[in-house]
Amino acid sequence: MGEKYSNARGHFFVAIRALAASSDSIQARLIEANESILHVTIDEFDGDRELKFKFAKILDLLAVDQDDMETVAVETAAHMTDFEAVKVADLICDFCFELV
C-alpha cells in the first residue's frame, strides 16, 4: 500500500470494522462508523475527481448540514430506515475498497 490516501484509508478501515463487528442495529453501527469517517476531509482527495465526488456523496448522505457535521450525522443515521442505512454502509464499504 502506498502513502496516497493513508489517512483516509485508516479512518475508513476503522469505520468498516465498526460496521462489521457489532450486533447493534445498522443505524447504531453507522453512527459509530461516522466517528471515523468525519475525521477525513474532502481535500485529501484533491487530484482524484472521482474519489472526491464519491466521498462528497457519502458526506451528503451522512450530514447535509455543514455546521455541526458530527451531531447531524448521528441524528441522520439514527432516523434512517434499515434500507437507507444499509445503502450508506454499502457506499462506505465500496469507497474503502477503492482506497486500497
Side-chain angles (χ1 to χ4, degrees), residues 32-89:
E32 189 176 340
N34 287 343
E35 293 174 14
S36 296
I37 291 170
L38 294 178
H39 288 289
V40 178
T41 65
I42 200 158
D43 296 336
E44 293 184 49
F45 306 108
D46 282 347
D48 191 327
R49 243 172 73 173
E50 186 175 339
L51 283 180
K52 201 171 197 176
F53 176 76
K54 289 178 180 181
F55 183 66
K57 182 176 182 177
I58 290 169
L59 289 180
D60 188 46
L61 291 170
L62 293 176
V64 177
D65 186 357
Q66 300 295 320
D67 290 334
D68 186 357
M69 286 185 66
E70 190 171 337
T71 301
V72 173
V74 168
E75 291 173 4
T76 301
H79 292 95
M80 285 182 179
T81 65
D82 288 352
F83 179 79
E84 292 168 330
V86 167
K87 182 179 173 181
V88 174

Side-chain angles (χ1 to χ4, degrees), residues 83-98:
F83 179 79
E84 292 168 330
V86 167
K87 182 179 173 181
V88 174
D90 282 343
L91 288 173
I92 291 168
C93 292
D94 290 345
F95 189 79
C96 186
F97 180 75
E98 291 192 45

